[in-house]
Amino acid sequence: MNINLTLIGQSIAFAIFVWFCVKYVWPPITEAMNARQKKIADGLSAADRASLDLELAQEKAAQELRTAKEEAAALIEQANKRASQIVEDSKGEARAEGQKLIDQAHAEIEQERVKARDALRAEVAALAVAGAEKILEKSVDANAHSEMLDKLAAEL
Amino acid sequence: MAADTPVDYIKHHLTNLTYGKLPEGYERADGSVVEETTWTMARTAQEAADMGFMAVHVDTMGWSIAMGVLFLGLFGFAARKATSGQPGGLQNLVEMTVEFVQGIVRDVFHGKNPLIAPLALTMFVWILLMNTLKLIPVDYIPTIAHAMGLEYFKIVPTTDPNGTFGISIGVFLLILFYSFKVKGPGGFLKELSFTPFNHWALVPFNLVLELLALIIKPVSLALRLFGNMYAGEVVFILIALLPLWIQWTLNVPWAIFHILVVTLQAFIFTTLAVVYLSAAHEDH
């Protein structure tokens, strides 16, 4: 319990230890710690950034998917419309064609009818002349009475 | 071993291995007379006391330096191999300690001084290591030393007031240095003269109070550590006097309790030293 030179020796030892610690021990340790801290912080912010990027990319992908779907839907719609239009068109055409054929047939029939009637009329006129000849017992000059015969035929 | 009676045993265990100067004509314990002034090992506590100031506690110095070298070696090794990547076991331990000390300094120290944190680290770990020596059973090392022909051996440097005062004087010098440096001689003197009572008539009173408070700082630092460690050591020695079969019922709890005391005292010493140094850095 005596106070002696140990006191000074201890102070000197303390000073040397502190000096050594300040110079050689503290800086590398704290540097390493700070460097690691920075590394971790960088890593975390990179991870944050990456997840943000991922989110953006996902959003973009979803949007693109949506656009593609819309486009596809529009295309299909268009195609459908076009197809139905084509069907409609061809239906109309067919109908028109049919109508035309019918009309043509009608016209032909009419023509035939008119022709037949004319023929009939001419025959009737001839018959009438023959009848009249028989009745009058004398030949009617067909040429002299053709005007009257024609008028008769037209009246039939 | 000089342990014939319990009192002798206790005295023996509380005496340092002292190497010092014996004056001419001094009669040594064995009756021989020193022919001329010599430096020698003290053979008895009385001789050690008679050596006065011109003596060195070899055990205190040796063990404290050994612990300091152990600290610096361990931490220096970790520092040299320190990596910012994944730390190994030793580096983890060292970094934990460093962060703990950084935490103390950040909480307590409000100035800006790159010296304070490593200083606190040195104090904390060094004192912790020196205190931890106390957990070595009290008879081991003295018995070995006795076998080597050394009469006295007290291994815990912090149970020697020289050991604790040595550190606190270092802290005190730093307090004075930074007080002068930061506040300037005038500012420091003004602080001593005008606190706590800011009136010219009370300057002498303030001076006495503040100077006393200043000097009390290292004294309280050293005595707190020394007192706690010394008292604990005495209790360990007393327990060692009990019959062998009963000792463990007392020294095991006491040792476990001392794991706390050892750490706590190192922590208190460091924190208070940083508090004092922080006060020295405050410029009003």
Side-chain angles (χ1 to χ4, degrees):
Chain A
M1 287 266 273
N2 316 304
I3 296 292
N4 53 31
L5 282 177
T6 316
L7 189 68
I8 294 163
Q10 192 82 357
S11 294
I12 293 167
F14 178 50
I16 292 170
F17 291 152
V18 169
W19 168 79
F20 190 89
C21 183
V22 170
K23 198 148 168 68
Y24 297 109
V25 176
W26 188 265
I29 293 176
T30 47
E31 256 166 45
M33 285 163 72
N34 290 341
R36 179 163 340 106
Q37 220 163 28
K38 198 176 166 294
K39 236 187 206 174
I40 292 172
D42 287 353
L44 285 178
S45 70
D48 278 352
R49 220 168 27 242
S51 74
L52 198 70
D53 283 354
L54 180 67
E55 211 169 285
L56 282 177
Q58 267 170 347
E59 209 165 286
K60 205 171 165 194
Q63 200 173 349
E64 232 145 76
L65 197 64
R66 215 177 308 127
T67 333
K69 265 186 191 162
E70 273 165 19
E71 264 170 35
L75 275 177
I76 289 170
E77 178 88 0
Q78 212 176 336
N80 276 344
K81 217 185 267 177
R82 185 99 172 273
S84 60
Q85 199 180 346
I86 288 170
V87 169
E88 280 307 309
D89 284 358
S90 45
K91 260 188 198 166
E93 236 165 74
R95 208 176 282 134
E97 189 77 10
Q99 195 62 42
K100 209 165 96 188
L101 281 176
I102 291 168
D103 287 351
Q104 216 171 333
H106 276 229
E108 250 165 58
I109 291 167
E110 186 67 20
Q111 216 171 345
E112 287 298 317
R113 202 168 65 102
V114 169
K115 213 191 268 178
R117 208 198 218 162
D118 284 349
L120 212 57
R121 206 177 276 153
E123 216 137 303
V124 168
L127 272 176
V129 169
E133 262 177 7
K134 283 231 171 102
I135 295 166
L136 295 176
E137 300 254 4
K138 93 177 192 180
S139 165
V140 176
D141 187 6
N143 288 328
H145 301 287
S146 70
E147 200 180 330
M148 193 246 316
L149 280 177
D150 281 344
K151 216 187 263 174
L152 187 71
E155 265 173 32
L156 280 173
Chain B
M1 211 187 300
D4 306 323
T5 66
V7 176
D8 282 344
Y9 178 80
I10 294 170
K11 271 191 183 159
H12 170 263
H13 274 70
L14 292 177
T15 305
N16 284 101
L17 178 66
T18 313
Y19 180 80
K21 190 170 80 173
L22 282 176
E24 194 184 330
Y26 182 83
E27 195 187 327
R28 303 200 65 164
D30 57 4
S32 65
V33 175
V34 179
E35 306 256 314
E36 53 188 45
T37 304
T38 48
W39 283 82
T40 180
M41 279 302 177
R43 289 201 201 112
T44 63
Q46 188 55 45
E47 277 187 21
D50 289 338
M51 282 171 178
F53 190 74
M54 296 308 281
V56 177
H57 290 159
V58 180
D59 44 5
T60 299
M61 283 310 297
W63 281 99
S64 60
I65 289 172
M67 289 304 112
V69 169
L70 176 67
F71 152 60
L72 291 176
L74 213 63
F75 277 58
F77 180 71
R80 214 176 31 250
K81 298 191 105 186
T83 159
S84 61
Q86 192 185 19
L90 176 67
Q91 201 188 336
N92 251 337
L93 177 76
V94 166
E95 285 184 4
M96 238 167 68
T97 320
V98 167
E99 270 186 344
F100 176 66
V101 171
Q102 272 180 331
I104 297 175
V105 173
R106 204 177 311 116
D107 289 344
V108 172
F109 189 77
H110 301 302
K112 260 202 160 48
N113 188 342
L115 180 74
I116 299 301
L119 173 79
L121 178 73
T122 311
M123 279 193 291
F124 179 70
V125 182
W126 192 32
I127 292 172
L128 184 69
L129 285 172
M130 290 196 289
N131 287 351
T132 309
L133 287 173
K134 204 166 130 173
L135 297 172
I136 299 173
V138 286
D139 271 328
Y140 279 18
I141 308 293
T143 306
I144 294 168
H146 186 72
M148 287 162 63
L150 299 169
E151 189 58 35
Y152 297 102
F153 215 81
K154 200 171 119 192
I155 58 166
V156 190
T158 43
T159 57
D160 180 354
N162 290 296
T164 59
F165 270 104
I167 307 171
S168 74
I169 284 172
V171 174
F172 184 58
L173 291 177
L174 282 175
I175 292 173
L176 289 182
F177 174 73
Y178 283 117
S179 292
F180 277 113
K181 193 182 162 200
V182 175
K183 306 178 211 282
F188 188 35
L189 203 66
K190 206 176 140 202
E191 189 188 276
L192 292 179
S193 311
F194 288 99
T195 45
F197 302 111
N198 192 3
H199 192 277
W200 60 268
L202 287 166
V203 164
F205 179 73
N206 286 336
L207 262 179
V208 170
L209 206 66
E210 285 294 297
L211 283 176
L212 216 58
L214 191 66
I215 290 163
I216 283 294
K217 283 174 182 176
V219 174
S220 71
L221 266 184
L223 283 186
R224 180 180 304 106
L225 181 59
F226 163 69
N228 276 283
M229 291 300 117
Y230 190 77
E233 184 80 351
V234 169
V235 172
F236 271 124
I237 295 168
L238 287 176
I239 293 171
L241 282 169
L242 293 172
L244 198 61
W245 51 271
I246 197 91
Q247 282 185 14
W248 64 271
T249 57
L250 290 170
N251 62 13
V252 169
W254 188 242
I256 292 170
F257 173 60
H258 258 272
I259 293 173
L260 180 69
V261 174
V262 154
T263 329
L264 195 64
Q265 287 305 322
F267 172 69
I268 291 173
F269 192 101
T270 310
T271 310
L272 283 180
V274 175
V275 168
Y276 294 153
L277 282 167
S278 175
H281 279 76
E282 267 159 29
D283 196 4
H284 297 289

